[in-house]
Amino acid sequence: PNLTLPLKGRGRRKRSAGLDSTLTFPLNAREYSGYLFARSLNKFYFALIVMAMLFTFASASSATEAKPFSFALMGDVPYHDGEVMDVERMLGEISAENNAFVVHIVDFKSGSSRCTDELFFHRQQLFNQSVHPFIFVPGDNEWTDCSRKSAGAYVAIERLAKLRELFFADNQTLGRNKMTLQRQSDDPLFVNYRENVRWSHENVLFATLNIPGGNNNIGNGPTNEAEAQVRNSANAAWVK
């Protein structure tokens, strides 16, 4: 699959590690949209590594060579209301291209902003503007960080339950054009883990896991420790 993303910078040319593209800075409007979803480079490169592992596995396990295709990868947006219009513009540009699907790799808000039902609903509606099937992967900013006072002092597990209700209600993706997903919750042993999904495209297998950054909900008291332990077992089962 083709994946070309711009990186952050000012007034110079910069070559992205492992990618063939180069960019001239300062960024134009389209490239700025790219910068928004490449803002967290450690998370971004981790996602690329995971995707590469999946591609390698799929290539090795399938006798049929996958046809070339493109998809869009984004994350860490919008962090605040000032970025919502940028994300809407970016989704419009992505929707005008021949992408198979769009994946949001965690964090549709900052870790310190409030984790309200209203904000969650707004983000769901925002992602549903995508013409292509849209897959959202939850991160620490959406639930484990919600216990912070600045984020509203919520119970983290309750916020995860709300995410599951809004973003993973059935076996369809978000977006205007849906795609059917296989959810781990289809297995009676793992009925709670609707956010863990798998899908395939052109003989390439994709999968998501709920392993939020920071501390993976570890070290936040006995209840959260127990949640993390059970969820980690579910994640391990999902990749077997």
Side-chain angles (χ1 to χ4, degrees), residues 65-96:
E65 183 178 356
K67 298 177 182 178
F69 66 92
S70 297
F71 65 94
L73 183 67
M74 59 190 293
D76 285 332
V77 289
Y79 251 44
H80 50 76
D81 290 344
E83 291 183 350
V84 170
M85 291 185 63
D86 294 313
V87 175
E88 289 177 338
R89 182 171 63 250
M90 179 167 60
L91 285 174
E93 294 178 353
I94 291 172
S95 295

Side-chain angles (χ1 to χ4, degrees), residues 67-134:
K67 298 177 182 178
F69 66 92
S70 297
F71 65 94
L73 183 67
M74 59 190 293
D76 285 332
V77 289
Y79 251 44
H80 50 76
D81 290 344
E83 291 183 350
V84 170
M85 291 185 63
D86 294 313
V87 175
E88 289 177 338
R89 182 171 63 250
M90 179 167 60
L91 285 174
E93 294 178 353
I94 291 172
S95 295
E97 298 173 347
N98 185 26
N99 291 299
F101 50 83
V102 182
V103 183
H104 189 292
I105 55 168
V106 313
D107 292 352
F108 59 51
K109 59 179 287 296
S110 71
S112 59
S113 58
R114 295 182 66 83
C115 301
T116 64
D117 288 356
E118 291 77 13
L119 185 140
F120 282 16
F121 180 75
H122 178 271
R123 296 299 190 257
Q124 182 213 47
Q125 296 301 300
L126 176 64
F127 295 161
N128 273 326
Q129 292 181 26
S130 172
V131 169
H132 304 300
F134 193 103

